[in-house]
Amino acid sequence: MSDLTHTARRTVLTIGAAALTSGAITACGGGSGEKAPQSEASGADTAPASPAPASSEAGAPAADEALTKKADVPVGGGKVFKEEKVVVTQPKAGTFKCFTAVCPHQGCLVNKVENGTIDCPCHDSKFAIADGAVTKGPATKGLAEKKIKVAADGNISLA
């Protein structure tokens, strides 16, 4: 083979390898999507969440429309509301907190509250039920707190 043919062949192979490598990198880690976890017995939907619009979110209840009742939120635990993308917790008896259910790491929805933490299934980040602070990474920011109203009749709604 001549030097010109050998050089051209090497260039084509190098460019092809680079294209394949960049395609694999894009498929493995690009964008805001996360690796979907194996399906769980609970059947929780853990698809990455879309960024919330600046105005009222679609699917979010109107102010004063009850998300849940106090009796439905266990002391030391909480309840995730997928459609509204919030989680309501009761860190101690009679104290209710509400946080976004969108994990700040890569946008997955948290899927459960247990053992004093709000848990994200995508990369196993955990957040404190009392203040939404990170207790286990890879997330580096806590869950943003949302305002709620707890009515005398026991209804809990977004403020």
Side-chain angles (χ1 to χ4, degrees):
M1 257 191 248
S2 71
D3 284 337
L4 183 58
T5 304
H6 186 66
T7 302
R9 182 172 181 238
R10 182 177 295 163
T11 302
V12 169
L13 289 174
T14 302
I15 291 171
L20 286 174
T21 302
S22 67
I25 290 171
T26 300
C28 290
S32 63
E34 296 212 353
K35 178 183 171 197
Q38 295 295 326
S39 106
E40 297 181 27
S42 67
D45 181 10
T46 55
S50 301
S55 61
S56 177
E57 296 181 44
D64 295 331
E65 185 178 325
L67 280 170
T68 191
K69 293 248 185 218
K70 292 188 320 185
D72 295 335
V73 181
V75 176
K79 190 171 177 183
V80 178
F81 299 90
K82 291 186 290 185
E83 281 189 33
E84 295 83 2
K85 295 183 177 132
V86 296
V87 57
V88 176
T89 64
Q90 186 176 190
K92 60 184 182 177
T95 301
F96 296 89
K97 299 283 188 164
C98 183
F99 306 97
T100 179
V102 180
C103 180
H105 176 238
Q106 286 193 347
C108 286
L109 290 181
V110 299
N111 70 336
K112 64 184 174 182
V113 182
E114 66 181 20
N115 301 320
T117 61
I118 302 164
D119 303 343
C120 179
C122 292
H123 295 102
D124 203 29
S125 289
K126 296 183 184 296
F127 306 90
I129 63 170
D131 61 6
V134 176
T135 62
K136 180 179 182 268
T140 57
K141 294 180 181 177
L143 298 175
E145 190 166 356
K146 300 283 190 173
K147 293 184 184 213
I148 54 172
K149 289 190 253 180
V150 181
D153 65 359
N155 284 336
I156 298 174
S157 60
L158 293 172

